[in-house]
Amino acid sequence: MTARIAARVTELRMRVFARVNGPDGYAVPPALFRRLYEHPAASGRSRGAALSDLFWYWLSPGAHVHQEHLEPGERYDEVARATRRFLSLPSAEITELAARCAAQACDRVQAPALVRLRDLLMPVWAEFWYEVAFGERCPPQARALIIGHADDVVTALKCDGLRHMGRRRKLTRYLQSRLADTRVALPEGLTDLERAWYLQGTFFNTGVVQMSEASAHLLMALAENPGYTLDQNFLDETFRMYPLFGVAHRITAAGIDVPGHPPIPAGTVLCFNYPVFHRTDFDEPDRFDPARWDGVAARQANHVPFGVAANRPCPAWRLAPIALRAVAEQVLSRFDPHTTAAHTRALANRGPCLLVPRGERPSQAALAWLRVRDGWEDVGRSVKQLFLGAYMVWRARRLRLCERHFSEMDAK
């Protein structure tokens, strides 16, 4: 009963978001997903899309210097170069750093313990990205600021709570005081405030949030499938079933002609649905089956967890799998994960899981309680997401952060 109520509320909420972008949106069918995503004319990112006002609202402050939301041009190129410099670490160094940060989090767990995996792992990635950015261990004060900021962003993105801009501004002020201490040079052509926003958006927003979500999905999948080995097949299947992106959008800078389809005019907002694409042309797509990747290269399937190389791939496409694997292996070296909670792509429940010492049997009473609690929480959470999501859509449209930014740029 609770699952049906939650599903109906979620369906209603999705209808609200489907209407955000107005008449210029084009829902890209799976058959055209890759072709349009990598098309050179699909180069616009924020300007001209009503949907951008909503993303800028969630990601503010500093969405205008976030690499994923910058328009093509010199500023984007310089920001992208800086990000590549930060991420160009040797594989062994990535593994050591991720494993060390995970070990510190594991030391704080008194197993057996019911945990929310996203909450458990967010300090791991706060410390990891701090060292990537500054080349030194993360002090407790900075970790608290990063976690407060990242948790606020992801909670708002999932419409499970409103934004708390004070938490975000505290991190901005801290980063402004550390601009001279970064491991590599920050992007040229930005003010000091914009450089702080660059660090905040790239590493302590996207980096912390996405890696916390990805590692929680990975451990949830391991908890649900205890007989599998953590290998590349398992990683690929986890990314297929639980892509970190829901809907991404691009704005066409020129018209696109696709044989057999109506022409796509310039200024069209292309909406790419990752979950649908990742389930198209797979046998039993809703079944978790790492063996489906035996003899199949992920790049040849409907599988783009890090985007496509020809058009703004995720800059962490090489680093992320190495670090995720190191963190998961560190957790598995100490605990066996078990869960009876729902595992969905949105991970709105933050990944409830029972961690028990290696080799010990889990409490069936604890797992039963976990199932009941998760079901009831899902009903209340879905209703809250419906109302808060509708409010934030309305608020974002009123503020018009993206639209106003480009209007002011044009007026200069």
Side-chain angles (χ1 to χ4, degrees), residues 25 130 246 406:
Y130 186 93
F406 286 106

Side-chain angles (χ1 to χ4, degrees), residues 238-262:
T238 301
F239 286 141
R240 185 192 72 81
M241 288 281 289
Y242 309 106
L244 296 180
F245 298 113
V247 175
H249 71 283
R250 297 287 185 270
I251 301 97
T252 55
I256 301 176
D257 290 325
V258 182
H261 296 269

Side-chain angles (χ1 to χ4, degrees), residues 121-328:
L121 296 164
M122 194 168 278
V124 174
W125 299 112
E127 294 170 0
F128 177 90
W129 288 115
Y130 186 93
E131 286 205 42
V132 169
F134 294 105
E136 63 184 36
R137 300 287 179 97
C138 183
Q141 174 203 6
R143 184 178 68 190
L145 291 173
I146 294 166
I147 293 170
H149 164 76
D151 182 69
D152 191 63
V153 170
V154 71
T155 300
L157 278 166
K158 295 181 187 301
C159 305
D160 201 26
L162 298 175
R163 303 177 309 162
H164 297 85
M165 298 306 293
R167 297 179 194 172
R168 305 188 187 193
R169 294 189 184 102
K170 286 179 182 177
L171 179 58
T172 303
R173 289 193 291 270
Y174 175 82
L175 294 173
Q176 284 183 279
S177 73
R178 298 297 313 276
L179 294 179
D181 306 320
T182 54
R183 234 185 72 247
V184 302
L186 292 167
E188 297 288 341
L190 304 183
T191 66
D192 283 351
L193 179 57
E194 287 174 332
R195 288 192 175 103
W197 283 337
Y198 161 77
L199 289 170
Q200 188 162 348
T202 303
F203 303 114
F204 307 124
N205 177 341
T206 300
V208 173
V209 168
Q210 296 288 55
M211 295 294 274
S212 298
E213 293 272 299
S215 48
H217 278 304
L218 187 57
L219 287 168
M220 283 287 281
L222 287 162
E224 294 171 318
N225 302 277
Y228 283 102
T229 304
L230 179 56
D231 57 9
Q232 188 60 48
N233 280 4
F234 198 95
L235 281 171
D236 286 338
E237 185 67 352
T238 301
F239 286 141
R240 185 192 72 81
M241 288 281 289
Y242 309 106
L244 296 180
F245 298 113
V247 175
H249 71 283
R250 297 287 185 270
I251 301 97
T252 55
I256 301 176
D257 290 325
V258 182
H261 296 269
I264 300 172
T268 299
V269 180
L270 303 174
C271 296
F272 299 90
N273 191 316
Y274 273 77
V276 170
F277 181 65
H278 278 197
R279 281 168 167 73
T280 300
D281 294 337
F282 288 98
D283 293 333
E284 298 183 74
D286 294 322
R287 179 168 61 89
F288 190 90
D289 181 17
R292 73 172 74 245
W293 298 104
D294 288 340
V296 177
R299 64 180 178 274
Q300 297 172 343
N302 289 350
H303 188 257
V304 288
F306 299 102
V308 296
N311 192 348
R312 296 194 186 211
C314 173
W317 66 268
R318 183 189 70 88
L319 176 148
I322 299 170
L324 287 169
R325 199 163 182 165
V327 167

